[in-house]
């Protein structure tokens, strides 16, 4: 039996990159997957890939930063799907810039997507998790939330906030059999990091003891561990998947 057989997972930001890899990894382990992303084009694309693996998939296009839209989407998901076992809050963006040049709009966009988005989805699914007395919540943070980074004050604040959120909800939901953990990826090759210059990549490589950049699948493997039976006694943790950048 696969480790997630017949479970239902909701993965935000599943249209590309890390979220897509998590959706496909979970489907490979037997889960049915609700693929959430901003655009219907990308959520549909990943949903089709999940179906090609023989699992059921639903595509949902919603902006995670919009509370009303998320509440409506979750209501529809629960009505159609029946129950949700796993939530992965992965949708995220960057709007980099030094603080002296950072606009309030860039601050808000990053905090609203990366942190408030997780709040909206977790809150909207909380009642159903608490009622069924089981569930797995996995928040995709970042090593930047642990280390900080010049030019990413908004992103670092959102990810550090997500780690505090993770630990608080782990304490609130623990007695109901729900685990809540964060994964802090290091440098993973996706669209988000594709535009970084070769000099920046070379500088990053010097900080990575393993000496190579990560792939989306490395993060998906960690998510599978936390979502499956192997993760049953792990909660409130931050698992770094970063080639040793932070230790
Ligand atoms: P990505 O390739 O840019 O993909 C981001 C995904 O998030 C896309 O599917 C996008 O939807 C979705 N998304 C963005 N804003 C959204 C919103 N407001 N509402 C709904 N969906 C939204 O990013 P990635 O590299 O896979 O990153 C995934 C997560 O890992 C992020 O939280 C990121 O901060 C974190 N992370 C990444 C790295 C890295 O090195 N790549 C390192 C540490 C942490 P569309 O496809 O529809 O546009």
């Amino acid at each position: 039996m696969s480790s997630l057989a017949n479970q239902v997972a909701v993965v935000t930001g599943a249209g590309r990159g890390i979220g897509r890899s998590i959706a496909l990894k979970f489907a490979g382990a037997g889960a049915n997957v609700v693929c959430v992303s901003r655009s219907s084009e990308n959520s549909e694309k990943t949903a089709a890939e999940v179906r090609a693996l023989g699992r059921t998939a639903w595509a949902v296009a919603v902006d995670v930063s919009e509370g009303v839209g998320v509440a409506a989407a979750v209501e529809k998901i629960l009505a159609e799907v029946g129950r949700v076992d796993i939530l992965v809050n992965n949708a995220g963006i960057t709007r980099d810039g030094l603080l002296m040049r950072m606009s309030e709009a860039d601050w808000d966009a990053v905090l609203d997507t990366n942190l408030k988005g997780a709040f909206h989805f977790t809150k909207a699914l909380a009642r159903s998790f608490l009622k069924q007395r089981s569930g797995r919540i996995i928040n995709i943070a970042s090593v930047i939330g642990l280390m900080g980074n010049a030019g990413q004050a908004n992103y670092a604040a959102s990810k550090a906030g997500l780690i505090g959120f993770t630990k608080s909800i782990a304490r609130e939901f623990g007695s109901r059999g729900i685990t809540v953990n964060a994964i802090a990826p290091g440098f993973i090759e996706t669209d988000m990091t594709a535009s970084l210059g070769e000099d920046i990549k070379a500088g990053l490589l010097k900080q990575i003891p393993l000496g190579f950049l990560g792939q989306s699948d490395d993060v998906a493997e960690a998510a599978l561990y936390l979502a499956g039976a192997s993760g049953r006694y792990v909660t409130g943790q931050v698992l770094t998947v970063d080639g040793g950048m932070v230790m």
Side-chain angles (χ1 to χ4, degrees), residues 12-20 36-43 46 60-66 89-94 109 112-114 121 140-144 155 158-159 162 183-193 214 216 219 241:
T12 73
R16 288 178 285 131
I18 292 170
R20 172 180 166 273
V36 179
S37 84
R38 213 169 9 190
S39 68
S40 54
E41 191 193 344
N42 288 347
S43 56
T46 304
V60 175
V62 67
D63 182 340
V64 297
S65 69
E66 297 289 336
N89 287 308
N90 162 80
I93 58 168
T94 51
D112 285 355
T113 303
N114 300 6
F121 255 95
I140 307 300
S142 167
V143 289
I144 303 304
Y155 185 75
S158 74
K159 296 301 189 179
L162 193 53
I183 296 174
F187 189 101
I188 308 296
E189 288 189 292
T190 67
D191 292 350
M192 184 177 269
T193 49
S216 292
V219 182
V241 178

Side-chain angles (χ1 to χ4, degrees), residues 1-9 21-33 50 53-55 86 220-221 223-225 227-230:
M1 252 306 239
S2 312
S3 66
L4 301 183
N6 298 320
Q7 301 208 18
V8 175
S21 289
I22 292 173
L24 298 180
K25 180 72 63 185
F26 283 9
N32 299 318
V33 188
V50 168
L53 292 171
R55 309 308 311 169
I86 304 156
E221 286 287 356
L224 180 61
Y225 160 68
S230 4

